[in-house]
Amino acid sequence: MPRVVVDVMLKPEILDPQGQAVANALPRLGVSDVASVRIGRRIEIEFTGEPDLDRAREIADKLLANPVIEDFTVRVVNTDETAGAQS
Amino acid sequence: MPRVVVDVMLKPEILDPQGQAVANALPRLGVSDVASVRIGRRIEIEFTGEPDLDRAREIADKLLANPVIEDFTVRVVNTDETAGAQS
């Protein structure tokens, strides 16, 4: 069953302290080739009928993202592409 | 510049109260055709050189996901596909 995935990320010009904390922890793990880490949200919306991109965009704009500091994208994916299918 | 995207979602059998709160708010917005909402994290990792999937998988396993309750997927995307390019 296809579902709609909304990806919400901080705008590039907004500082991401959570991502920076992860980036700063990496050298202690022996990882030195990472330039930056940014952490956002991924929301999976399952519709009862056909996935509705416009509806999902409306939901994202009103409930899921803060348009002042965040950008979001909306797309339809098939279930086998969602997290959990592999690791 | 390509980067690695790590998608972290709660395992399907784990309750997601945050997603449920969003789903419960939807009828008030006039949306009645959504079956479920699940909220997870999306992490973008930028490498100084070539994107390294195995390295990203190691970082996700040690720092980004809790393998007891979460699944994650790792993939390379081009910059123009990341959130912010559209909305």
Side-chain angles (χ1 to χ4, degrees), chain A residues 6-50:
Chain A
V6 181
D7 289 317
V8 181
M9 300 297 292
L10 284 170
K11 288 182 197 276
E13 63 269 27
I14 307 286
L15 270 182
D16 178 4
Q18 201 186 357
Q20 268 179 332
V22 171
N24 293 341
L26 290 177
R28 271 176 272 144
L29 285 179
V31 178
S32 56
D33 55 346
V34 167
S36 84
V37 177
R38 308 273 296 173
I39 299 185
R41 292 193 300 290
R42 173 194 164 100
I43 301 103
E44 294 183 357
I45 303 175
E46 211 168 303
F47 286 87
T48 50
E50 278 298 294

